[in-house]
Amino acid sequence: GSTVIFNTADYYGGGLYVQAGKATLNASVVSGNVAQFGGGLYLYSGDVTLSGNTVASNAADYGGGLHVQESDATLINTVVADNQAQTAGSGLYIQDASPRLLHTTIARNSGGNSIGLCLLSSGNVALTNTILVGHATGVYVAPGTSARLEGTLWGNTADWDGGGTLYHDNDYTGEPAFVDPDGGDYHIEQASAARDKGVDAGVASDIDGDPRPVGLGSDLGADEWTRIDLSPSRKSVNLGQAEAGDTLTYTLVLSNGGLTPSMETLLFDAIPAHTTYISGSAQATSGALTDGDGIRWTGVVTPHRPITITFRVTVNAQAFIHNTAIVTDQHGAVTVLTALVNARRLYLPIVKRET
């Protein structure tokens, strides 16, 4: 993917201007760009496919995020958020065009008439599995224009307006439950009203490449809620108290209580102070394992299929031994596992009272 940021154009396409020809843009961020038409992107004619992109915080007179004209572009897993338009189409401005938008999050675009999606002149626009929230008007369909929205989470002051023809079914309302919209994070949380509400649009993955569907059906919008939960993972040691010369066996059990696999899971377990690693003792039931100054493991943690990792050390001195393992899932979330040996014991006096 690419990052297209902080550019300015006098007229068309502050970030990108695509005219005629064939073009694709995948897994990219277009942000902070300015133009008169299409602050982020201006698509004019041509065979254009956009997949897995975020178009955010751009500005224009028409089409704060995107301006699409005479182009039957296809947009898949797109976030269009926090853009501004001085005149019309705060999120998207579509004119004389019939694009297809699959799994789109259009949220909190502002300025001008605060219309998330503005459709003008002739055309037949199709949106499937959309989150359309946070605008004065969700979609404006001008006379002579038609639009079909199938599977939409609505949440605007007025969800639609205009004298054109709007077909819509599988409509929903409720909180989208974005993770951190103020911070630009438009992933959805477990409580989102968009979960499992989508129709089959033939899209097998989301904006992050995570699989669709998870659960009963695809989620609306660009993100599929794909929970990975490594919190059930545990670490233990065979002895609570140990002396010099004793052997400690550490056992780590990596467990995923979520709904989807953690594909590139990393584990690092430093050999604890006051011990010596017993060479070659590390073992794992699956994944790739290396040892040395610490135990390093990488692999896939599938829901409800625990992975067991063991290694042994020799105690060098009778001392407090604190061992910590760091587990990082494919999204960077960290789980910390600890095991203690020779932790201090607290003895309390027993007081006997005569009755």
Side-chain angles (χ1 to χ4, degrees):
S2 303
T3 302
V4 183
I5 56 174
F6 306 132
N7 300 286
T8 300
D10 289 337
Y11 296 106
Y12 303 107
L16 293 168
Y17 177 16
V18 180
Q19 180 175 357
K22 184 174 183 178
T24 60
L25 182 67
N26 299 326
S28 297
V29 175
V30 181
S31 179
N33 304 286
V34 179
Q36 185 174 352
F37 301 95
L41 297 95
Y42 186 89
L43 309 180
Y44 183 80
S45 186
D47 180 8
V48 180
T49 300
L50 308 181
S51 181
N53 300 293
T54 297
V55 182
S57 302
N58 303 281
D61 291 340
Y62 298 87
L66 296 94
H67 190 300
V68 182
Q69 184 169 357
E70 298 182 25
S71 172
D72 297 339
T74 300
L75 282 70
I76 305 169
N77 291 329
T78 307
V79 173
V80 182
D82 299 312
N83 301 284
Q84 292 188 339
Q86 293 298 318
T87 305
S90 302
L92 299 96
Y93 187 92
I94 299 177
Q95 181 178 3
D96 296 317
S98 300
R100 291 193 312 145
L101 288 79
L102 309 175
H103 286 283
T104 312
T105 298
I106 306 171
R108 306 198 327 166
N109 301 283
S110 62
N113 49 23
S114 186
I115 295 175
L117 175 63
C118 185
L119 312 178
L120 296 179
S121 302
S122 61
N124 185 8
V125 181
L127 292 92
T128 306
N129 297 339
T130 309
I131 297 176
L132 183 51
V133 297
H135 310 93
T137 303
V139 56
Y140 176 84
V141 185
T145 301
S146 66
R148 178 179 296 275
L149 282 82
E150 183 176 11
T152 308
L153 179 64
W154 300 95
N156 309 278
T157 304
D159 287 325
W160 52 79
D161 195 5
T165 303
L166 177 64
Y167 304 95
H168 57 93
D169 55 11
N170 295 309
D171 295 328
Y172 302 95
T173 58
E175 289 296 326
F178 296 127
V179 169
D180 181 15
D182 289 339
D185 189 345
Y186 284 91
H187 292 89
I188 60 173
E189 294 184 326
Q190 182 177 3
S192 176
R195 286 190 57 214
D196 298 340
K197 300 299 194 303
V199 301
D200 185 1
V203 178
S205 60
D206 74 353
I207 190 170
D208 302 309
D210 293 325
R212 293 186 190 270
V214 172
L216 299 177
S218 293
D219 299 341
L220 305 176
D223 178 46
E224 185 80 5
W225 183 76
T226 52
R227 181 184 176 194
I228 296 171
D229 180 12
L230 300 185
S231 65
S233 300
R234 294 292 180 265
K235 180 174 187 175
S236 62
V237 62
N238 64 320
L239 298 177
Q241 300 292 315
E243 299 178 353
D246 286 346
T247 297
L248 301 178
T249 300
Y250 288 98
T251 301
L252 300 96
V253 179
L254 302 183
S255 298
N256 184 352
L259 299 175
T260 55
S262 178
M263 299 304 296
E264 297 178 355
T265 313
L266 304 175
L267 176 145
F268 178 70
D269 193 338
I271 302 303
H274 311 297
T275 70
T276 300
Y277 172 63
I278 299 177
S279 179
S281 67
Q283 296 182 347
T285 54
S286 68
L289 184 67
T290 59
D291 56 13
D293 61 333
I295 307 302
R296 290 176 169 82
W297 178 91
T298 182
V300 179
V301 184
T302 302
H304 313 301
R305 294 183 183 177
I307 295 167
T308 301
I309 302 167
T310 60
F311 67 94
R312 291 180 294 142
V313 300
T314 300
V315 178
N316 298 330
Q318 188 173 8
F320 175 56
I321 301 172
H322 180 221
N323 180 234
T324 300
I326 305 296
V327 185
T328 307
D329 71 19
Q330 72 178 62
H331 297 307
V334 172
T335 300
V336 179
L337 308 176
T338 60
L340 307 179
V341 176
N342 293 335
R344 291 195 177 192
R345 292 178 175 176
L346 178 64
Y347 295 92
L348 298 176
I350 297 175
V351 179
K352 183 178 180 181
R353 294 183 177 179
E354 298 293 337
T355 59

